[in-house]
Amino acid sequence: MIVNVTAISKIDWDSEGKRNYHIPMTYDGEWARVRIPLCVICGIKPGKTLTVIGGTHGDEYEGPVAAKKLIENLDFSNMSGRVIIIPVLNVPAFKAGTRVSSLDGMNMNRAFPGDAKGTITSRIARFITDEVLSRSTIVVDIHSAGETMETIRCTSFHEIQDPSMYRQSVETASAFGTPFTMIYTSDMGSGLLTEEAEKMGIVTIGTELGYGASTDLDGVRWAYDGLNNVMKLHKMLPGEVISLLPPTHDRTILVKNTDIDTWMTAPTSGISEPLVPIGAYVRKGDPVTCIHDFEQITKPGYIIKADRDGYVLQRRFRASTRQGDVVMVIAEEVN
Ligand SMILES: [Zn+2]
């Protein structure tokens, strides 16, 4: 069934039940409208509002798939509170299979809080800020690493000073059972959806659940089962939180990736060869990446060594590497 277009002012945010909408966003300078899928599910008892967003970047697929399944399977008659699900936020980017919008070239995750008079990406962001984030108590923005980097499977949130908010963020992030939770920095960019949600006092969780523009089996499972766990943790669904940790892990490892000056970049262009697996614990001085110059076939590769002890959080996935590309991120565990 193709869902009808509904004007923003006609969305029913509050009545018991499950409703699927297509929210129209008019193209810049064309007689056409992008349709943003949005589902509102209101339970039979009052409670928190969980917002689930996928497809903020158009080449990341675990979020859209898990969110679509959640729309299909969530039973409002079993639920307290409200769930707002947007399986694909940047529809033009998603249709093009690209990180940024094919219509205005903008990165949705740098467009917040948005601008009602801006181009289409800014206007979608503004709609989310005004109509969706303003109604939310918990936001989960499901990302993956896209096409250039491989990542640990993790949940994430920004550095938080408020102790109560920090505790709620750790608890909510841990409910996903990913091997890692990553605390990250605002220095890597501004205008993030999560940054805006955090400013509004919302418990806000991001994720990195796959890479390489694929649909990762475990990534989808962590997203889908993790969201069900989050709902149980916050008393929106009955039942206990179940452990989703892989058998190789006895806990979610909390790591801090807050200093972008520690990101290791390629000193020279070439073909990068990873020497350690993602998630590995390395020690300072360990060889971690080799850059090969195929114009000088007899020359040994340039070895990059770890500059600290820690876990390999991200590494370059695409082999072709330019001088200055990030080849690896190593970070320490925090308590
Ligand atoms: Zn992303």
Side-chain angles (χ1 to χ4, degrees), residues 169-246:
S169 300
V170 171
E171 278 175 11
T172 306
S174 301
F176 284 84
T178 47
F180 292 89
T181 290
M182 178 174 74
I183 302 173
Y184 64 105
T185 173
S186 305
D187 292 346
M188 61 185 293
S190 59
L192 277 71
L193 186 156
T194 49
E195 188 184 22
E196 193 59 31
E198 284 161 2
K199 268 190 222 158
M200 296 166 83
I202 301 165
V203 174
T204 306
I205 304 297
T207 73
E208 301 292 348
L209 293 179
Y211 63 97
S214 70
T215 311
D216 187 86
L217 187 150
D218 289 327
V220 173
R221 183 179 63 82
W222 270 311
Y224 181 80
D225 293 343
L227 287 164
N228 275 282
N229 261 355
V230 167
M231 293 181 71
K232 289 175 185 167
L233 178 72
H234 289 276
K235 309 293 179 213
M236 299 173 70
L237 282 178
E240 298 293 316
V241 172
I242 53 167
S243 174
L244 300 174
L245 280 168

Side-chain angles (χ1 to χ4, degrees), residues 4-306:
N4 285 332
V5 166
T6 303
I8 293 169
S9 61
K10 296 283 194 324
I11 300 169
D12 178 355
W13 299 100
D14 301 309
S15 304
E16 190 180 300
K18 185 190 296 192
R19 293 169 291 282
N20 277 292
Y21 301 106
H22 271 173
I23 308 306
M25 293 284 167
T26 306
Y27 277 48
D28 301 303
E30 266 190 74
W31 288 60
R33 306 185 101 182
V34 170
R35 296 161 74 129
I36 310 294
L38 179 138
C39 180
V40 180
I41 309 173
C42 296
I44 53 171
K45 292 182 198 157
K48 295 182 178 179
T49 294
L50 166 67
T51 291
V52 176
I53 296 175
T56 301
H57 291 131
D59 59 351
E60 302 171 6
Y61 299 97
E62 291 77 10
V65 171
K68 181 171 178 282
K69 289 185 181 190
L70 204 62
I71 290 172
E72 190 181 331
N73 296 332
L74 261 186
D75 177 4
F76 74 91
S77 67
N78 198 25
M79 223 181 82
S80 302
R82 172 172 58 188
V83 181
I84 301 170
I85 306 173
I86 299 154
V88 179
L89 178 57
N90 197 341
V91 170
F94 188 77
K95 288 194 170 182
T98 52
R99 180 174 172 83
V100 301
S101 174
S102 57
L103 295 182
D104 62 7
M106 277 185 74
N107 180 346
M108 180 67 76
N109 212 25
R110 300 292 183 272
F112 280 81
D115 179 358
K117 296 194 184 307
T119 58
I120 190 151
T121 304
S122 296
R123 286 186 282 114
I124 295 170
R126 193 72 238 176
F127 161 70
I128 296 298
T129 302
D130 291 346
E131 302 291 339
V132 178
L133 299 185
S134 63
R135 291 179 162 87
S136 305
T137 36
I138 309 154
V139 168
V140 179
D141 185 21
I142 307 173
H143 286 257
S144 308
E147 295 192 48
T148 56
M149 299 295 285
E150 181 183 1
T151 178
I152 49 160
R153 309 306 194 276
C154 67
T155 45
S156 62
F157 52 86
H158 278 116
E159 278 186 300
I160 299 169
Q161 303 307 327
D162 178 65
S164 158
M165 196 55 126
Y166 179 80
R167 184 182 46 75
Q168 290 183 70
S169 300
V170 171
E171 278 175 11
T172 306
S174 301
F176 284 84
T178 47
F180 292 89
T181 290
M182 178 174 74
I183 302 173
Y184 64 105
T185 173
S186 305
D187 292 346
M188 61 185 293
S190 59
L192 277 71
L193 186 156
T194 49
E195 188 184 22
E196 193 59 31
E198 284 161 2
K199 268 190 222 158
M200 296 166 83
I202 301 165
V203 174
T204 306
I205 304 297
T207 73
E208 301 292 348
L209 293 179
Y211 63 97
S214 70
T215 311
D216 187 86
L217 187 150
D218 289 327
V220 173
R221 183 179 63 82
W222 270 311
Y224 181 80
D225 293 343
L227 287 164
N228 275 282
N229 261 355
V230 167
M231 293 181 71
K232 289 175 185 167
L233 178 72
H234 289 276
K235 309 293 179 213
M236 299 173 70
L237 282 178
E240 298 293 316
V241 172
I242 53 167
S243 174
L244 300 174
L245 280 168
T248 46
H249 284 69
D250 60 0
R251 69 190 194 289
T252 292
I253 299 168
L254 188 63
V255 286
K256 208 167 177 179
N257 176 16
T258 52
D259 180 2
I260 59 173
D261 288 333
T262 65
W263 294 1
M264 299 166 71
T265 57
T268 179
S269 300
I271 298 299
S272 67
E273 175 200 5
L275 302 179
V276 288
I278 198 79
Y281 188 82
V282 295
R283 297 214 174 267
K284 184 175 178 179
D286 286 351
V288 290
T289 298
C290 183
I291 308 279
H292 295 279
D293 177 357
F294 278 80
E295 291 180 354
Q296 302 186 69
I297 206 76
T298 58
K299 184 180 154 192
Y302 190 103
I303 299 286
I304 301 172
K305 294 180 176 175

